[in-house]
Amino acid sequence: MKLSEKLTQLRRQSGMTQDELAAKLFVTRTAVSKWENDKGYPGIDSLKLLSQVYGVSIDDLISEEDVASAQSAKRRRTRIFYRCAVACLALAAAFALATALSSVPWLCIPSVAAALGYVAFGLLSKPALSGLTRADRVRHIVSRVAAVIIVLAVLVATLVQQLAA
């Protein structure tokens, strides 16, 4: 049974409304609704309070299925952000190259925007870093920053060359 189903079942068995449960947990009714509709998960503090309110252990609330589902959702999100970051880096490089090969200086604007998108999506995919050692995290972050610096350096050099001509 999924966590959302367990929470709904336990609340109904205890004869509480979502509003009453929310008041006991110091959260909003909307939060309780999201948990029961499988659109979110309670934080650790809320899980502790839920286990106290219902008189069950946290282990009873969270089954392996729930943990696996949450981890799977996090991996999917990370993959999507990583793919977006790579796409942004490719666009940044393509526009930087187009700026260098043409005499159209405004082409650097989408390149800078794509480089910023690369950084933003790279930061959003940070859950992938959670399993890495500190040294691996540093290497990962440095490689992303280096890629952005290279793209921006090509853009600056191209703009300087075009303005001098």
Side-chain angles (χ1 to χ4, degrees):
M1 181 183 292
K2 295 176 76 173
L3 176 63
S4 58
E5 295 166 345
K6 289 178 191 176
L7 292 176
T8 303
Q9 180 183 11
L10 287 168
R11 181 181 55 78
R12 287 182 179 157
Q13 285 174 352
S14 64
M16 281 190 280
T17 65
Q18 287 182 342
D19 285 321
E20 293 168 338
L21 178 60
K24 287 185 179 193
L25 300 177
F26 309 106
V27 297
T28 63
R29 186 205 55 79
T30 306
V32 173
S33 176
K34 285 181 180 181
W35 301 339
E36 291 184 359
N37 290 309
D38 206 22
K39 296 188 191 267
Y41 292 95
I44 189 67
D45 293 333
S46 295
L47 283 172
K48 287 178 185 177
L49 290 172
L50 282 165
S51 71
Q52 290 172 358
V53 167
Y54 295 136
V56 297
S57 70
I58 292 177
D59 289 338
D60 290 339
L61 286 174
I62 303 176
S63 68
E64 287 298 315
E65 177 183 296
D66 297 327
V67 172
S69 174
Q71 288 173 342
S72 175
K74 191 179 277 188
R75 280 193 301 273
R76 276 193 309 272
R77 178 181 160 268
T78 298
R79 276 195 304 267
I80 289 168
F81 286 135
Y82 176 77
R83 287 177 183 148
C84 289
V86 170
C88 284
L89 183 61
L91 283 171
F95 277 109
L97 183 62
T99 304
L101 296 176
S102 72
S103 60
V104 184
W106 64 266
L107 283 175
C108 71
I109 295 170
S111 184
V112 170
L116 293 174
Y118 171 75
V119 171
F121 283 119
L123 293 174
L124 289 171
S125 69
K126 72 179 177 181
L129 297 176
S130 61
L132 300 177
T133 65
R134 184 181 182 115
D136 288 337
R137 279 188 217 142
V138 169
R139 272 185 243 136
H140 179 79
I141 291 168
V142 167
S143 68
R144 288 180 185 234
V145 170
V148 170
I149 289 172
I150 290 168
V151 169
L152 293 177
V154 168
L155 283 172
V156 169
T158 302
L159 287 175
V160 167
Q161 180 184 18
Q162 287 183 356
L163 293 175

